[in-house]
Amino acid sequence: MCAQISQSDGESIFADLDDEGSEREEEISPRKRQLRLYRRALGEQWRVLSQDNLVVASVITLLFFITMAITAPFVAPYGQTERLTADDGTIAQWEQPFWYGGEGGYVLGTTAEGYDLFSQLLYGSRAALLVGLLAAVFVAGIGTMVGLVSGYYGGRVDDALMRLVDFMYGLPLLPTVILLVALAGPSLVNLILAIIVLQWRTTARVIRSQALSLRERPFVKAAKVAGASDRHIILKHLAPNVLPLTFLYGAFSIAWAILTEAGVAFLGLGDPNHVSWGTMLQSARSYNALTHEAWWWFLPPGICIALVVISGFLIGRGYEEITNPELQE
Amino acid sequence: MTTLLDVDDLEVYYETEDGPAQAVDGVSFSVEEGETLGIVGESGCGKTTLAKAIIGILPHNGYVNAGRIQFRGENLTELSDEQRRRRKWEEISMIPQSAMNGLDPVYTIREQINETIETHRPGTDRVESNRIVDEMFDLVGLDPDRADEYPHQFSGGMRQRAMIAMALSLDPSLILADEPTTALDVIMQDQILNRIEGMQDEVESSMLVITHDVSVVAETCDRVIVMYAGQIAEEGPVEEIFGNPYHPYTIGLKRAFPDIRKSNQDLMSIAGHPPELVDPPSGCRFAERCPLATEVCRTEYPPEMEFGELRTYCHHADEIDEEFRPVADRAETWEQTEAAEAKNAKATEATK
Amino acid sequence: MGRAQFVVRRTLQLIVTLWAVATALFLLFRSMPGDPTTYIVDPSLSGEARERLIESYGLNEPLHVQYMIYIQDVATLSFGQSFHSNRAVRDIIALYLPRTLLLMLTAFFFAYLIGITVGIIAGWRRNSDFERRSVFIALIARSFPDFWVGLIVLWIFGAWLDVIPMSGMRSGGIQYDSYWNVELWLDTIWHLIAPAAVLGFYLMGYPLLLMRNSMLEVLSQDFIEVCRARGLKERSIMFKHAARNALLPIVTAGAVALGYAVGGSVLIETVFGWPGMGREMVNAVLRRDYPVAQGTFFIFAMTVILLNFIADLAYGFLDPRVTYD
């Protein structure tokens, strides 16, 4: 699939990004140069990724849901917790979708409390994506920074940070998130914080081992001899080289965060002010939508969750193919 | 002497993204009973592929496109997988290129040799196969007690010997030794080579020694094939090939290795690389790197020429004695190839 | 460093991690806003009984003394009494943990049995339709939330086809005098099938993908080629050599995954009304029954930490090459 990129064991593919064009160094400001560096790394990755149809489809899926989240207030026919009434003045509860013979013209029918399911589904994408994307950015960012610092400095810094990571690995994901959210109060912000607190450990561990090997590479040593500051080396020489791994774990984090949000909401610890796909499933279960066979209530949210999660996994897998040459054909 | 192995016009291709790569292209040769034949050439010239095709372990994208591999009169390429499997190791065994990593790390060496014996000779009792293991360990100079250890407990040289012990365990008619010494340090190389030589005296197997190292061939072989880019460049008795070769490639290859008789000789590699095998040049494949190359070399496949017992494939083989041999040791001679000129041109450009 | 030294050092690390988790729990519950005693002593109790309990827990002592008492309690796994049922937390755990383990271990066993087998074949038959399909299924299995799949299974097989129970671990009305009653076990298995299958399907993806990748890596190693040259049977190369080597990382990853999976039982137990420890923990959290929440959480964390520990040790025993440098 992406055999074009070859690399030897444990080495990064972008090893010496900064060697080319070094003659023109004075012409452009360091900041611009650094930007260009990252842009080139990203461009290169996208070139490889976009050859994988599944990755392209996943990106399109994610973009679709992002659009859905942004446009929800304009597209949704009703508010997310707007109680609807039928023509005779009673609450429009348990309505079937209009294309299934239901009255009132509801796209996906209504809940037992008289809420419009289609509107809830649209609004629900906001919670999922907010949690997924925000958590992923921070998880990947914090994990990468901790990993780089730990691997680059080594010694006591490394020891201290890795013992912290070991401790984090002792915490079971879902029970810890449940406990944190329950104690701090169920809200999206608390949920995102809880996920970040727990998830950066994986990224940190992986990036650290990568940084350990990068530290010994000639271009890093050369930069050190040339008197570059630690900050400069970490940001300019190490970071661009671990970008594919950062994105790999970032993409996986989207998936895990969304699954966690849905699970926690399903358990009744969702943000009471925001409808999410998880809370939709929770109310479907507590109002016995199963025995009412109101599948239009509990099928769509699950499918939406799965689509976003699969997209995250597939993008992550695309990066795995970049970072792990064993998997390349 | 009877012929043990007869390879006839063999073509082995690899499926690649750009089309089939012709890794072995029209190779014919034979191995007599008890003979040791060497195959030399740069890495990537198809010699390992040839060995894998003979023993029947081509990777999943490799296949025999045409030709025959006759072993004791039977065409191996026409056998079923199961028939082929039975002949592996029992008839043809190998000392692999990476013999150091050729042993399964999670079983002891005795377990692995026993497994091989018992797979091919069902009903062999454990006492008997253990006896064979001890005997083979003795033969290669290892302490039989250590057969119960895991491969990682052995040093590189010991693993190599254990591999040789395993290769001999079924008393095969032919042993393929693929770069048997490459992964070892110089002292170990010597020990292993001595071991192989000693082994040739004791067992009556034929051997096919595949290497890029001319000195290994000189020490162990009766006859030598020089391969280049999937084809035979030259073939003949070992003294002829290294004493008085007629192919410019053989001459160049010889120059790339130290010769004790010429102590102050400059070691020189041949400029350039072997050609792409997906769409190889139509004429002589060595033309680009050959100081004697002319127009005919680039367009026409070279004919077979015979010089005594030597078989040479070169358009200019008959000019070698007068025109090439006297100047072959000079570096300037090798600067005149197309590949060397291209390299120089690039170097000049870079300094500008 | 020898093996014994490694075991000793790893054991010390285990104790330190357990202590750190316990301390984190202590700080977490003590740092909650409001009267900290409400997290340990039932706020609905009357004045005098309340005072007595506060005293018996040492909550009137300074914080560091409380901490010492707390650590002693944790070391003996006594987490006080439930606000809700007034039973000892230790008894509650003893009741619910085996149920969670029954569900979890059943699901885990089948998930790894099937996942590893399919992974071996997928890695062996690289680029085949079988490989592509199994990788796709593994991705699907990991992407659909297990509680949602549980809902769908309940809808189809419970509500619609009526072949599985909608909830619980046992039917009402079964008379039994000992746990070795056949009818009781058959009934439990009948209740177990759906949640174990859903959970197993979810858990299967990880070993499948891991085993495939591990197989690909092993198959590219030189000794596999030598195995083929030795004329060993395909099946023997595939299972005895390739899979045996590829299995090493899966065993340790599996042990670690089991630890986390036990904590993940929360969702599946809630969907299927399986009266296990995960559901009990969520209920305790929702009821603000803090002693139970704390106790069950600590057991979950301990499972994770212990299995991480076992995984580390197991590696040294399974792979003859491991040295402890």
Side-chain angles (χ1 to χ4, degrees):
Chain A
M1 237 177 278
C2 21
Q4 284 81 353
I5 290 189
S6 63
Q7 61 175 145
S8 48
D9 266 6
E11 287 179 11
S12 156
I13 23 173
F14 305 110
D16 235 350
L17 275 178
D18 35 3
D19 267 8
E20 286 172 52
S22 52
E23 302 142 58
R24 284 179 294 159
E25 186 146 22
E26 292 92 329
E27 291 169 30
I28 36 178
S29 74
R31 177 172 296 278
K32 263 192 192 158
R33 194 173 128 61
Q34 192 166 334
L35 266 178
R36 202 188 55 188
L37 202 70
Y38 280 98
R39 216 174 35 231
R40 189 140 35 111
L42 289 173
E44 170 77 354
Q45 287 170 40
W46 176 245
R47 197 182 59 74
V48 175
L49 282 176
S50 58
Q51 287 170 354
D52 187 342
N53 291 334
L54 283 174
V55 173
V56 176
S58 305
V59 172
I60 292 172
T61 311
L62 274 187
L63 288 176
F64 170 77
F65 279 105
I66 290 172
T67 317
M68 186 196 261
I70 295 170
T71 58
F74 312 107
V75 180
Y78 306 98
Q80 40 180 326
T81 47
E82 183 183 345
R83 206 165 284 244
L84 304 168
T85 46
D87 295 340
D88 56 3
T90 57
I91 294 170
Q93 55 187 161
W94 294 112
E95 284 297 349
Q96 297 181 344
F98 71 85
W99 42 268
Y100 201 70
E103 285 171 25
Y106 305 112
V107 179
L108 283 174
T110 61
T111 72
E113 297 155 296
Y115 302 142
D116 179 47
L117 277 166
F118 180 61
S119 305
Q120 287 206 330
L121 193 70
L122 293 181
Y123 277 107
S125 64
R126 302 188 129 194
L129 287 169
L130 193 69
V131 173
L133 296 178
L134 267 182
V137 167
F138 282 98
V139 163
I142 295 175
T144 303
M145 273 341 279
V146 171
L148 285 179
V149 166
S150 188
Y152 176 74
Y153 287 103
R156 284 204 188 145
V157 179
D158 183 37
D159 260 356
L161 287 172
M162 283 306 113
R163 289 300 79 75
L164 181 62
V165 169
D166 284 345
F167 162 69
M168 297 307 296
Y169 266 101
L171 299 174
L173 177 63
L174 206 53
T176 312
V177 174
I178 289 169
L179 208 61
L180 288 176
V181 169
L183 290 177
S187 73
L188 281 184
V189 175
N190 287 341
L191 181 64
I192 292 170
L193 285 175
I195 292 174
I196 294 169
V197 164
L198 274 164
Q199 286 285 53
W200 61 271
R201 58 192 185 187
T202 323
T203 319
R205 202 177 256 188
V206 174
I207 298 279
R208 169 189 171 260
S209 60
Q210 190 73 13
L212 278 180
S213 85
L214 280 174
R215 187 172 69 160
E216 305 302 326
R217 301 281 297 282
F219 66 95
V220 174
K221 295 204 154 160
K224 245 187 212 172
V225 173
S229 68
D230 289 342
R231 206 183 95 99
H232 176 89
I233 292 176
I234 289 177
L235 288 179
K236 205 187 120 202
H237 296 271
L238 298 185
N241 279 292
V242 298
L243 266 191
L245 275 175
T246 305
F247 280 95
L248 170 91
Y249 283 90
F252 283 151
S253 300
I254 298 181
W256 288 120
I258 287 174
L259 279 177
T260 310
E261 189 279 329
V264 170
F266 178 73
L267 292 171
L269 288 161
D271 191 327
N273 301 317
H274 292 92
V275 169
S276 82
W277 295 330
T279 56
M280 287 176 75
L281 289 171
Q282 191 238 345
S283 55
R285 182 172 156 277
S286 50
Y287 284 103
N288 278 322
L290 287 182
T291 39
H292 282 86
E293 309 221 333
W295 50 264
W296 46 88
W297 189 347
F298 56 82
L299 272 186
I303 292 170
C304 288
I305 296 170
L307 281 175
V308 180
V309 170
I310 290 178
S311 304
F313 278 144
L314 286 177
I315 294 172
R317 247 174 70 80
Y319 272 105
E320 219 164 26
E321 307 252 346
I322 295 183
T323 53
N324 185 355
E326 297 281 353
L327 301 179
Q328 290 173 9
E329 284 162 26
Chain B
M1 264 203 276
T2 46
T3 302
L4 183 69
L5 175 77
D6 186 33
V7 174
D8 187 23
D9 210 12
L10 186 68
E11 291 177 10
V12 185
Y13 290 3
Y14 284 114
E15 209 66 76
T16 72
E17 277 177 25
D18 309 320
Q22 305 170 13
V24 171
D25 190 15
V27 166
S28 307
F29 67 90
S30 58
V31 181
E32 309 296 317
E33 300 256 18
E35 183 188 37
T36 299
L37 176 69
I39 298 184
V40 282
E42 288 164 288
S43 48
C45 72
K47 45 193 202 304
T48 296
T49 303
L50 184 60
K52 284 182 180 170
I54 291 169
I55 199 163
I57 52 165
L58 285 171
H60 61 278
N61 62 335
Y63 58 95
V64 172
N65 186 54
R68 286 180 311 162
I69 304 170
Q70 298 268 114
F71 185 82
R72 290 193 188 284
E74 153 177 86
N75 187 357
L76 295 182
T77 59
E78 282 169 358
L79 294 180
S80 72
D81 287 349
E82 178 58 20
Q83 288 170 320
R84 195 84 198 261
R85 184 186 69 74
R86 286 173 197 277
R87 282 160 183 77
K88 287 176 187 169
W89 220 260
E90 179 82 58
E91 295 285 358
I92 307 177
S93 74
M94 75 187 286
I95 304 164
Q97 186 161 22
S98 47
M100 276 172 66
N101 305 316
L103 294 157
D104 187 330
V106 301
Y107 297 103
T108 65
I109 290 154
R110 187 183 296 280
E111 281 170 339
Q112 297 186 51
I113 300 183
N114 280 345
E115 183 193 18
T116 320
I117 296 172
E118 284 156 23
T119 301
H120 288 281
R121 297 176 186 167
T124 314
D125 66 9
R126 193 40 68 88
V127 181
E128 169 64 8
S129 48
N130 274 336
R131 192 193 58 73
I132 298 179
V133 174
D134 293 345
E135 192 188 318
M136 290 304 132
F137 261 55
D138 266 334
L139 185 66
V140 297
L142 287 171
D143 177 4
D145 288 341
R146 298 200 61 180
D148 292 303
E149 292 184 9
Y150 289 96
H152 74 275
Q153 290 168 291
F154 277 30
S155 70
M158 286 166 71
R159 261 180 270 176
Q160 194 80 354
R161 282 193 243 177
M163 202 61 234
I164 296 174
M166 180 139 85
L168 295 173
S169 59
L170 290 175
D171 195 14
S173 331
L174 177 66
I175 300 170
L176 305 183
D178 187 0
E179 305 278 10
T181 60
T182 309
L184 303 171
D185 61 57
V186 184
I187 295 171
M188 258 315 147
Q189 283 190 5
D190 197 49
Q191 283 191 20
I192 293 292
L193 281 182
N194 288 338
R195 192 59 62 186
I196 290 175
E197 276 182 274
M199 181 182 94
Q200 286 171 332
D201 300 335
E202 290 199 38
V203 296
E204 279 149 25
S205 311
S206 305
M207 272 189 84
L208 198 58
V209 178
I210 291 165
T211 180
H212 69 279
D213 187 338
V214 172
S215 58
V216 171
V217 172
E219 247 182 272
T220 53
C221 297
D222 308 321
R223 221 150 42 85
V224 183
I225 289 174
V226 178
M227 272 187 83
Y228 185 77
Q231 296 175 334
I232 294 183
E234 192 159 32
E235 185 202 333
V238 68
E239 310 80 36
E240 294 285 314
I241 288 279
F242 295 119
N244 210 25
Y246 279 87
H247 198 291
Y249 178 60
T250 315
I251 298 171
L253 198 65
K254 233 178 61 171
R255 283 181 72 252
F257 282 90
D259 186 335
I260 27 171
R261 283 162 298 187
K262 301 177 184 170
S263 57
N264 57 353
Q265 171 205 31
D266 292 333
L267 291 185
M268 275 280 296
S269 56
I270 309 168
H273 302 282
E276 289 292 322
L277 294 173
V278 173
D279 186 19
S282 51
C284 173
R285 292 192 179 174
F286 188 57
E288 201 198 4
R289 303 167 73 187
C290 179
L292 288 176
T294 54
E295 202 45 44
V296 65
C297 297
R298 294 189 184 91
T299 50
E300 274 175 51
Y301 188 77
E304 183 183 315
M305 311 272 277
E306 287 194 19
F307 300 91
E309 285 181 74
L310 273 183
R311 235 188 340 148
T312 300
Y313 295 85
C314 175
H315 287 289
H316 300 288
D318 43 11
E319 301 158 28
I320 295 283
D321 276 331
E322 293 116 47
E323 290 175 29
F324 189 62
R325 223 181 288 283
V327 295
D329 272 350
R330 293 191 199 145
E332 308 90 75
T333 312
W334 293 90
E335 293 289 323
Q336 289 163 6
T337 66
E338 209 178 307
E341 276 161 19
K343 190 178 150 195
N344 287 341
K346 210 173 167 189
T348 345
E349 198 160 308
T351 49
K352 265 179 197 169
Chain C
M1 182 162 60
R3 178 172 286 176
Q5 250 176 310
F6 173 77
V7 173
V8 169
R9 211 181 69 158
R10 193 62 188 77
T11 310
L12 286 176
Q13 206 184 332
L14 167 83
I15 295 167
V16 171
T17 315
L18 282 172
W19 163 79
V21 170
T23 305
L25 263 183
F26 178 81
L27 294 174
L28 190 65
F29 278 90
R30 292 306 186 282
S31 65
M32 285 298 108
D35 179 2
T37 59
T38 58
Y39 295 101
I40 296 118
V41 180
D42 195 340
S44 64
L45 276 179
S46 70
E48 199 190 325
R50 199 177 140 75
E51 286 302 316
R52 227 184 16 246
L53 262 178
I54 286 181
E55 207 163 311
S56 77
Y57 283 114
L59 289 179
N60 46 356
E61 306 278 353
L63 206 60
H64 68 273
V65 178
Q66 284 188 34
Y67 177 67
M68 293 313 293
I69 296 170
Y70 167 82
I71 289 293
Q72 276 172 20
D73 285 349
V74 169
T76 55
L77 295 183
S78 51
F79 297 92
Q81 310 224 267
S82 162
F83 298 167
H84 182 73
S85 62
N86 217 17
R87 282 152 62 197
V89 174
R90 204 196 307 199
D91 296 343
I92 292 177
I93 291 169
L95 178 67
Y96 289 104
L97 183 61
R99 295 169 172 177
T100 291
L101 290 180
L102 173 67
L103 170 59
M104 185 53 60
L105 292 176
T106 311
F108 207 80
F109 174 75
F110 286 104
Y112 273 66
L113 188 71
I114 297 169
I116 287 175
T117 314
V118 175
I120 291 173
I121 301 171
W124 184 259
R125 298 200 206 152
R126 188 171 196 183
N127 294 326
S128 65
D129 281 344
F130 182 87
E131 189 208 2
R132 273 185 284 274
R133 277 186 208 128
S134 49
V135 167
F136 184 71
I137 289 174
L139 281 174
I140 294 282
R142 264 157 77 72
S143 302
F144 282 91
D146 54 351
F147 63 90
W148 181 74
V149 177
L151 284 179
I152 304 301
V153 166
L154 279 176
W155 167 49
I156 295 174
F157 295 97
W160 191 26
L161 298 173
D162 198 21
V163 290
I164 55 166
M166 286 300 282
S167 171
M169 188 173 99
R170 276 172 208 146
S171 315
I174 288 192
Q175 301 290 321
Y176 60 94
D177 16 84
S178 82
Y179 276 105
W180 302 111
N181 182 313
V182 177
E183 207 185 332
L184 173 76
W185 274 100
L186 285 179
D187 183 57
T188 308
I189 290 171
W190 181 54
H191 281 79
L192 180 65
I193 290 172
V198 171
L199 191 56
F201 180 66
Y202 177 73
L203 294 173
M204 181 192 74
Y206 182 58
L208 196 162
L209 293 175
L210 213 57
M211 194 64 196
R212 166 191 168 264
N213 289 357
S214 185
M215 278 293 278
L216 291 185
E217 202 184 313
V218 170
L219 288 175
S220 70
Q221 288 175 22
D222 300 319
F223 75 86
I224 292 296
E225 190 171 75
V226 175
C227 283
R228 290 174 64 204
R230 279 157 67 195
L232 303 181
K233 295 187 174 115
E234 288 275 292
R235 187 175 299 234
S236 164
I237 301 175
M238 178 163 155
F239 288 105
K240 200 175 158 193
H241 294 279
R244 171 71 177 75
N245 274 277
L247 205 56
L248 290 173
I250 315 302
V251 172
T252 51
V256 174
L258 178 63
Y260 292 107
V262 172
S265 64
V266 178
L267 287 165
I268 212 79
E269 289 179 2
T270 305
V271 179
F272 286 96
W274 186 267
M277 208 172 73
R279 202 181 69 140
E280 194 54 24
M281 184 197 145
V282 175
N283 286 341
V285 166
L286 292 175
R287 283 181 200 130
R288 313 223 148 240
D289 188 349
Y290 292 112
V292 176
Q294 207 174 23
T296 46
F297 176 85
F298 191 76
I299 297 297
F300 281 132
M302 207 168 85
T303 317
V304 169
I305 295 166
L306 273 178
L307 281 161
N308 277 333
F309 172 71
I310 291 170
D312 274 5
L313 293 195
Y315 206 82
F317 289 97
L318 288 172
D319 188 342
R321 285 164 297 181
V322 167
T323 52
Y324 300 93
D325 296 327

